[in-house]
Amino acid sequence: MKSKYSRAPGETENITGLLGGTAFYKRVNEHIQMEKIDGTGGLYCPVYFNLTNFKLYNSNYGIEQGDELLRKVADVLRAHFPYSIIAHLNADNFALVAPRDGVIEQVEAVCREVDEMIDNFSITLKAGVFFRDPDNPSEYTANSAFDMAKIACDSIKGDASRSWATYTETMGKNLAARAYVLENFDRALRNGYIKIFYQPVVRTLTGKLCGMEALARWEDPERGRLTPDMFVPVLEDAKLIYKLDSYVVEQVGKRLRTMEDSGMPVLPISVNLSSADFDQVDPLDVVERVVRKYRLLGSYIRIEITESALVKDGKKLQREIDRFRKAGYQCWMDDFGSGYSSFNVLQNFHFDELKIDMAFLRNFNDQSRKIIKSIVLMAKSLGVHTLAEGAETQEQVDFLRSVGCEKIQGYFYGRPMKYDDLRVHCRDKNLREETRQEEFAYDKLGLINVLTGAPVALCAVNDKSMRILYENDAYKKVFEGVSVSDLRQANANLAADDLPMHKKFRTFVDKAVDSMKKESMTYVDNGKYLRVNMEIVARTNQISVGRLALYNITFDDKFKETKRYDEIFRNAILFYDGIYYVHMDTGVLEVLETINPLLKAGDRIPYARQLIARYAARFIHRDDQERFMQYADAKRLYEIAKASKRSEANNVFRVKQKDGNYRWKEFDAIVLYKSQSKDLLLCLRDATMERLREREEKVPEFFESFGYVPRNETRDYNQQNSQIFINNALQSFLDFSGIKFFWKDKNRRFKGASNAFLNYYGLKLEDILGKTDEDMGWHINEGPYKDDEWAVLRHGRVKRHVIGHCIVKGVPHTIAASKFPIYDGNEIVGLAGYFNDVDKGLWRQEQQVKIGLTDPDTGLFGFRGMMMTGLQYADNYRLHGEDFCAIMLDVPDFDATVRMYGPQIRKKLLKRIQKALDTFDVQKRALGHIGEGGNFLCFVKRQDAKSIHKYLIQLAKNIHEITKIDGYDCTLYLRYSTAWCSESKNLDGMLHLLMERLNDQKL
């Protein structure tokens, strides 16, 4: 259509030179009117173009390059439609009126040329065409006609296989449905028409329910149930999806709180976030507010983001995902494998779990099996968990389990349903809930690669039993020809405590659990020698899980005689504590058998003097160490062996045992002269005298038979009175004595101190040099200490065992201090002193714990101890006017975290919190743990309110950044309140103020 109109100034759009939207629609309406006059209606049709993901192009290449692309697209349109009315409507949309004949071919050519020019599969040109009814062409205005073309264009935005579409009546109905969604969405949220359904997620290793996915369903009173594909895309396109996702997060938080309050097992729930959410709100803030509102562990909520979203705005989402993970939330990639760059995405984004796209199971064939297997293998190599969606058959479930996929979600285990229905469904299907400790353990176990030629099995152990959960094909093959035929029988044998091997195997398992290292055991089954290796990968107070490897090490028939001797020797070595082989050519010691907790069979370590020295220092009695060092030298062993004429060198030494006591042990070194490098075999066992029953009677006879007569030896120590000796003695006293000794100049400034003094306070010498007690801030009431020191310095008086109170690492201690003058000739030039900690006696410590002065878990003061300390601070304020601040600290989620993971993490959690509290100057505050949970009380002086507030803000941040304890997920917040003594004049009033202000706070 040749344009008959000249362009008025201002009609064209600046970037492309095409018409703008207003001018374009005006021209098109004028054209429609001319068609009515000419009777040529229907010969032309509207075409709408959209440059998908144009925002990504701008992000990648910049605005200037984006504008250049728009100009190039405009040139392509002009080239293919030289006589058409063409417009650039807005950033990524173009429109034109084209001749009906051949329009599709031209549209295809335009899309192909632009796509080739961009060369990025995620940024493409889409087109929608509306063919008007030739019998009634004037039925539509320009705006309504192009709305139809736009609907056709939008219908293929997510279809990578199509570049154009024509409008159909079905699309019109979809438009009406879209309008209904937009008009009624807010009402649906307000009235609760949006329901949250939950679909179960099951762990393949155990068959237990390990989580749920929250999915929105719209149950409309007028139109019935609207499926997600009817409203989710509409809300995304309208930039309203953030409202839905925020609503889902809120409802999930409410549900989790209800589950916890009712005592039901709490399972993690995953929620879906759209990429559009990050443009409208801060999703992390939305989730955090819900977690705080309902006092939840952040790990209860898992974040799902679709793979397609990452392609659209990758850099921004990468930052947001990192923020979520840093805050302690797991992030999952949804629909993995649905895009063109799945494996590239994993290079740039850090996810905790991949949800394998259900399309692979929908088209379940050899090809999809290979793809799923490769995804699982790749994920394990990256330390990423896997979940397969869409499982509907037993065949699919068995396959996913066989390749090591960790979790399954699909109709096989249950459709999405309301929570109450889900509970009934799980009860009927015997789907028991996984505990959080089990989740921790099985998540570790699930990352082990089982798709290997090595014989691998996965197992679970508790105090009473052990069970093999999975075995690969190579592991099954080892069982061929032995008494155990399959996994069922293997587990039956493990449970049968009356079988001969049960006790030995249980001892082996317990050793592996205790050591958390690879342990090995060899046993005979049905005439075959088998070696099993076990390594525990996760341990909780409920369960331990690990990896097994089983090998058939049986010799061929021609070695029957060797096997007989082998069995005899294996029984003989049970009498030895350790057997070690020294390869003299390489200088390596190989551990053959040992009960030493630091070593295990198969270890190979350098046999050098440093090793001998370390062993002697740790295990040999100090009176025997020099003799042992001489004996264990390889050269010396050869000399002794040669002189013995039996090729052996033996001796006895006292060796430290596990209980701390020493036992006499025989060391036998045998030179293997037939070996090429004359290697050594070292054997260790109890000395004969340790094994004698009539030891008291026989040992004296034994020594007397050799003519042994005890004799007293005296040692003459020459005392040196030189100045060098005195200096050395003083330095030794400062370095090694346990006396907390110090000295100061005549202005009461520290000049030095003993190591015992510095270690007591946890300081270095430079921390105190040139400072006074007031500078250090470690006395509650500084007056008496200052008066005593001036009496020493000004009057030469000696102060002995003066009782006072000092803050040590945040805890007030009672000390007895003695101080005396230092003279230079007749002049006092300083003072020296020492003190004892009256609280340090073991009996006194036990009494303090018993009466509540000291908290046994943290070593800080307990409630009574802090009350007594507070009274001292308050008395100091009353007498000397020195104000101080009391700070109440509360970690409200402490108890819930301990209940969830077990009491074994309680002390570790306290220590982590205590470590965060220590960021404040520990010498200038008294800190106490005043309850069983996360409650602390602190008294601080010589600090202004601004500094204290700054510290508390940082402390709250540090507490919230504790997202794992001993590998367990946790979410912690800090509440705090402050009160000054000057506000209430006494301690009781301060405590009331603290509690009122703390209770007024909300997380």
Side-chain angles (χ1 to χ4, degrees):
M1 178 180 70
K2 189 173 182 179
S3 177
K4 300 178 181 179
Y5 306 95
S6 60
R7 296 182 180 177
E11 286 188 339
T12 57
E13 184 266 336
N14 291 331
I15 296 175
T16 64
L18 298 175
L19 289 173
T22 303
F24 174 74
Y25 286 120
K26 180 181 177 183
R27 293 283 185 88
V28 174
N29 278 320
E30 290 173 353
H31 173 68
I32 291 173
Q33 293 302 318
M34 291 179 64
E35 284 185 328
K36 290 180 182 179
I37 297 171
D38 297 344
T40 58
L43 297 180
Y44 297 90
C45 57
V47 184
Y48 184 91
F49 291 93
N50 173 252
L51 203 54
T52 63
N53 293 328
F54 180 61
K55 184 192 295 185
L56 178 61
Y57 190 93
N58 278 333
S59 176
N60 290 343
Y61 304 109
I63 301 298
E64 290 185 6
Q65 288 298 313
D67 290 346
E68 181 61 26
L69 175 62
L70 294 175
R71 283 189 283 271
K72 290 180 179 179
V73 173
D75 290 342
V76 173
L77 292 174
R78 289 190 187 99
H80 285 273
F81 299 98
Y83 303 111
S84 296
I85 304 174
I86 309 174
H88 179 210
L89 300 178
N90 50 43
D92 52 5
N93 295 313
F94 295 83
L96 59 84
V97 178
R100 184 186 185 101
D101 293 339
V103 67
I104 297 301
E105 290 77 5
Q106 290 299 319
V107 166
E108 278 187 338
V110 167
C111 292
R112 183 169 55 252
E113 186 173 340
V114 171
D115 291 350
E116 289 174 355
M117 181 170 59
I118 298 173
D119 192 25
N120 185 328
F121 68 87
S122 62
I123 306 171
T124 57
L125 188 66
K126 302 286 187 181
V129 182
F130 175 52
F131 291 111
R132 293 183 294 162
D133 184 358
D135 298 328
N136 192 13
S138 59
E139 180 182 355
Y140 302 97
T141 64
N143 292 71
S144 62
F146 277 97
D147 281 344
M148 306 301 179
K150 182 180 185 302
I151 292 170
C153 180
D154 291 345
S155 71
I156 58 170
K157 272 188 176 181
D159 189 344
S161 64
R162 301 174 65 189
S163 59
W164 60 271
T166 60
Y167 177 80
T168 65
E169 287 188 11
T170 302
M171 294 178 185
K173 292 177 181 178
N174 291 341
L175 182 63
R178 171 189 172 87
Y180 184 86
V181 167
L182 295 177
E183 290 170 6
N184 293 276
F185 173 61
D186 286 336
R187 181 172 64 92
L189 281 182
R190 286 195 308 271
N191 296 344
Y193 300 155
I194 307 291
K195 309 291 185 184
I196 308 302
F197 281 42
Y198 298 91
Q199 187 171 24
V201 177
V202 173
R203 192 176 296 276
T204 56
L205 279 177
T206 62
K208 284 190 173 184
L209 187 67
C210 62
M212 300 175 282
E213 181 180 6
L215 299 161
R217 297 293 185 265
W218 186 334
E219 295 183 345
D220 193 82
E222 297 179 22
R223 299 202 173 189
R225 179 171 293 176
L226 303 183
T227 58
D229 62 333
M230 295 172 65
F231 61 88
V232 170
V234 174
L235 296 176
E236 285 191 317
D237 190 53
K239 306 296 184 186
L240 295 174
I241 191 68
Y242 75 93
K243 290 187 177 182
L244 177 65
D245 291 345
S246 299
Y247 176 80
V248 172
V249 171
E250 175 76 23
Q251 297 305 307
V252 165
K254 189 181 297 184
R255 171 59 60 193
L256 288 166
R257 182 73 261 157
T258 302
M259 292 164 67
E260 191 154 27
D261 289 344
S262 62
M264 292 185 290
V266 182
L267 293 170
I269 300 175
S270 64
V271 297
N272 292 276
L273 294 183
S274 167
S275 61
D277 292 340
F278 296 91
D279 295 328
Q280 306 299 315
V281 293
D282 180 357
L284 175 59
D285 182 60
V286 171
V287 175
E288 288 271 69
R289 279 190 283 109
V290 168
V291 167
R292 285 194 296 270
K293 178 179 179 180
Y294 294 106
R295 306 185 315 281
L296 302 172
L297 282 174
S299 58
Y300 282 160
I301 298 178
R302 311 287 162 87
I303 307 301
E304 293 191 30
I305 300 174
T306 60
E307 182 185 348
S308 58
L310 304 176
V311 177
K312 292 179 181 177
D313 198 355
K315 291 183 179 178
K316 180 177 181 179
L317 283 181
Q318 185 177 19
R319 292 192 299 271
E320 296 301 324
I321 290 168
D322 289 344
R323 287 181 65 217
F324 265 108
R325 296 184 77 242
K326 186 177 180 181
Y329 296 94
Q330 286 193 24
C331 289
W332 297 0
M333 186 194 293
D334 195 13
D335 298 336
F336 181 78
S338 61
Y340 291 103
S341 60
S342 301
F343 295 96
N344 290 333
V345 164
L346 288 180
Q347 290 184 324
N348 302 319
F349 297 90
H350 302 291
F351 283 97
D352 300 284
E353 189 156 305
L354 302 182
K355 294 189 74 174
I356 301 171
D357 189 55
M358 64 178 64
F360 294 118
L361 292 179
R362 192 180 300 122
N363 304 304
F364 196 53
N365 51 39
D366 288 342
Q367 188 69 11
S368 62
R369 283 182 172 90
K370 291 177 182 177
I371 294 173
I372 292 172
K373 189 174 180 180
S374 66
I375 290 174
V376 171
L377 189 60
M378 175 204 59
K380 288 183 189 297
S381 69
L382 295 173
V384 178
H385 300 288
T386 50
L387 185 160
E389 291 187 280
E392 298 183 4
T393 67
Q394 185 69 56
E395 179 190 12
Q396 293 171 342
V397 170
D398 291 343
F399 167 75
L400 292 168
R401 190 178 192 278
S402 71
V403 298
C405 183
E406 297 173 64
K407 302 174 187 176
I408 294 176
Q409 178 182 345
Y411 286 0
F412 183 84
Y413 288 112
R415 296 171 176 268
M417 59 193 86
K418 293 179 180 177
Y419 180 73
D420 291 339
D421 295 335
L422 178 66
R423 289 195 65 198
V424 174
H425 171 81
C426 291
R427 186 181 65 234
D428 293 344
K429 295 289 185 181
N430 196 30
L431 287 175
R432 292 177 297 137
E433 295 92 345
E434 184 175 85
T435 67
R436 294 309 301 276
Q437 293 191 45
E438 287 175 330
E439 180 194 30
F440 168 77
Y442 290 131
D443 274 355
K444 297 279 189 184
L445 191 64
L447 292 176
I448 293 176
N449 176 26
V450 295
L451 298 175
T452 173
V456 175
L458 306 178
C459 65
V461 182
N462 59 31
D463 291 340
K464 298 179 180 179
S465 64
M466 171 179 168
R467 187 163 61 96
I468 298 176
L469 304 171
Y470 172 91
E471 57 181 357
N472 67 6
D473 290 338
Y475 196 94
K476 294 175 186 176
K477 192 172 181 63
V478 177
F479 277 138
E480 293 178 1
V482 300
S483 62
V484 179
S485 59
D486 56 23
L487 184 62
R488 182 194 59 79
Q489 188 178 355
N491 281 327
N493 287 353
L494 290 172
D497 56 9
D498 57 341
L499 290 180
M501 273 291 296
H502 183 272
K503 184 176 181 180
K504 181 178 180 180
F505 198 79
R506 184 69 219 194
T507 302
F508 162 69
V509 170
D510 290 342
K511 183 179 180 182
V513 171
D514 291 341
S515 72
M516 292 289 287
K517 297 177 181 178
K518 186 171 79 172
E519 302 291 349
S520 298
M521 185 185 80
T522 302
Y523 66 99
V524 180
D525 187 347
N526 202 25
K528 289 184 170 57
Y529 280 72
L530 302 177
R531 176 178 293 134
V532 59
N533 297 333
M534 184 177 192
E535 185 174 8
I536 297 297
V537 298
R539 181 176 63 191
T540 74
N541 69 328
Q542 285 184 355
I543 191 173
S544 298
V545 296
R547 178 185 187 272
L548 294 171
L550 185 66
Y551 302 93
N552 187 336
I553 59 171
T554 308
F555 295 130
D556 295 336
D557 288 342
K558 62 182 179 180
F559 295 111
K560 283 184 178 179
E561 189 65 18
T562 305
K563 287 196 298 183
R564 188 174 74 83
Y565 282 113
D566 177 65
E567 188 172 347
I568 293 170
F569 291 141
R570 285 187 178 279
N571 285 311
I573 64 176
L574 295 176
F575 293 97
Y576 286 88
D577 294 347
I579 300 178
Y580 311 91
Y581 191 100
V582 182
H583 300 265
M584 297 305 297
D585 55 344
T586 59
V588 170
L589 182 143
E590 178 185 357
V591 181
L592 301 181
E593 293 288 343
T594 185
I595 63 169
N596 190 310
L598 302 180
L599 300 172
K600 64 177 183 297
D603 281 352
R604 299 173 71 91
I605 49 182
Y607 186 72
R609 189 165 182 83
Q610 294 91 326
L611 171 69
I612 300 169
R614 287 200 303 271
Y615 180 86
R618 182 155 190 174
F619 293 106
I620 302 298
H621 193 283
R622 64 182 180 181
D623 292 342
D624 296 342
Q625 287 179 9
E626 183 178 352
R627 189 165 56 87
F628 178 82
M629 290 295 295
Q630 294 174 354
Y631 164 80
D633 179 75
K635 184 178 179 181
R636 178 64 176 157
L637 287 174
Y638 277 116
E639 292 174 356
I640 298 172
K642 186 176 181 179
S644 74
K645 298 183 180 181
R646 290 174 50 119
S647 300
E648 65 176 0
N650 39 34
N651 212 325
V652 291
F653 305 95
R654 284 164 286 186
V655 179
K656 192 174 186 179
Q657 305 301 293
K658 190 175 181 180
D659 60 5
N661 295 315
Y662 288 87
R663 287 177 68 88
W664 285 98
K665 298 284 182 179
E666 291 181 12
F667 285 75
D668 295 323
I670 303 169
V671 180
L672 305 176
Y673 282 105
K674 291 186 178 181
S675 64
Q676 188 172 357
S677 54
K678 295 182 176 60
D679 297 334
L680 292 173
L681 187 68
L682 302 179
C683 304
L684 172 66
R685 66 171 180 167
D686 276 344
T688 303
M689 66 185 77
E690 290 282 5
R691 303 196 302 270
L692 281 175
R693 292 186 179 179
E694 304 92 356
R695 184 166 48 194
E696 293 183 1
E697 175 186 346
K698 297 298 181 184
V699 168
E701 290 182 17
F702 177 78
F703 284 107
E704 287 174 9
S705 69
F706 286 96
Y708 173 79
V709 179
R711 62 181 182 271
N712 295 323
E713 296 181 359
T714 60
R715 297 180 181 178
D716 182 21
Y717 293 99
N718 294 320
Q719 299 293 329
Q720 300 182 35
N721 201 22
S722 66
Q723 188 62 42
I724 295 176
F725 181 83
I726 294 173
N727 291 341
N728 290 339
L730 177 60
Q731 188 61 52
S732 180
F733 169 79
L734 295 175
D735 289 343
F736 305 115
S737 78
I739 297 175
K740 293 174 274 294
F741 184 77
F742 61 92
W743 61 99
K744 300 183 178 183
D745 64 16
K746 60 184 179 182
N747 293 314
R748 299 179 51 249
R749 296 177 300 209
F750 280 99
K751 299 294 288 183
S754 66
N755 281 342
F757 179 100
L758 297 171
N759 292 337
Y760 178 75
Y761 285 107
L763 299 172
K764 297 178 181 177
L765 185 60
E766 53 264 31
D767 295 330
I768 65 169
L769 288 179
K771 296 179 181 177
T772 65
D773 285 342
E774 296 87 82
D775 296 329
M776 299 306 298
W778 48 29
H779 295 314
I780 297 172
N781 182 2
E782 294 155 349
Y785 291 93
K786 190 187 298 185
D787 294 343
D788 282 350
E789 291 188 354
W790 284 128
V792 172
L793 291 166
R794 292 171 179 171
H795 306 292
R797 294 173 185 167
V798 175
K799 297 290 182 178
R800 298 187 185 277
H801 308 302
V802 177
I803 300 297
H805 301 283
C806 185
I807 299 173
V808 182
K809 300 175 183 176
V811 180
H813 284 242
T814 303
I815 62 173
S818 299
K819 299 171 185 176
F820 37 85
I822 299 174
Y823 287 93
D824 184 5
N826 296 324
E827 182 182 355
I828 296 175
V829 293
L831 67 85
Y834 65 91
F835 66 87
N836 295 317
D837 189 329
V838 180
D839 297 332
K840 277 293 184 181
L842 180 60
W843 177 87
R844 185 174 177 87
Q845 289 182 42
E846 292 174 350
Q847 292 301 310
Q848 287 182 341
V849 170
K850 190 176 294 184
I851 64 176
L853 288 178
T854 303
D855 173 55
D857 295 321
T858 61
L860 303 173
F861 261 1
F863 180 79
R864 288 191 62 187
M866 286 304 290
M867 293 305 98
M868 293 174 64
T869 303
L871 289 172
Q872 294 179 45
Y873 272 92
D875 283 346
N876 188 51
Y877 171 75
R878 180 173 54 83
L879 296 173
H880 304 287
E882 189 174 18
D883 204 0
F884 69 98
C885 180
I887 307 171
M888 184 74 75
L889 304 165
D890 175 42
V891 182
D893 301 298
F894 182 93
D895 292 335
T897 304
V898 172
R899 282 196 303 272
M900 179 176 300
Y901 297 126
Q904 82 281 357
I905 72 158
R906 182 175 175 277
K907 287 188 178 180
K908 294 180 180 179
L909 183 55
L910 279 173
K911 290 297 183 185
R912 285 291 298 277
I913 296 172
Q914 190 176 347
K915 184 178 180 181
L917 295 173
D918 283 347
T919 55
F920 202 60
D921 189 342
V922 295
Q923 301 301 340
K924 296 183 179 180
R925 57 104 170 114
L927 178 66
H929 181 221
I930 57 171
E932 292 297 317
N935 305 109
F936 294 81
L937 180 62
C938 182
F939 297 125
V940 183
K941 66 176 184 176
R942 292 183 175 272
Q943 294 288 334
D944 58 85
K946 186 177 180 181
S947 298
I948 292 173
H949 179 71
K950 183 179 179 181
Y951 159 71
L952 290 172
I953 294 296
Q954 184 60 45
L955 177 60
K957 181 181 178 183
N958 293 345
I959 294 292
H960 188 50
E961 287 178 353
I962 300 174
T963 58
K964 282 190 182 295
I965 296 293
D966 205 23
Y968 295 108
D969 294 325
C970 63
T971 301
L972 305 175
Y973 294 95
L974 178 71
R975 297 193 307 161
Y976 57 83
S977 59
T978 60
W980 292 82
C981 192
S982 54
E983 293 183 90
S984 57
K985 309 304 181 186
N986 58 55
L987 181 63
D988 189 56
M990 292 178 74
L991 295 176
H992 278 94
L993 273 178
L994 287 173
M995 293 308 299
E996 286 177 10
R997 291 170 180 174
L998 190 68
N999 291 332
D1000 287 342
Q1001 279 194 28
K1002 292 183 180 180
L1003 284 177

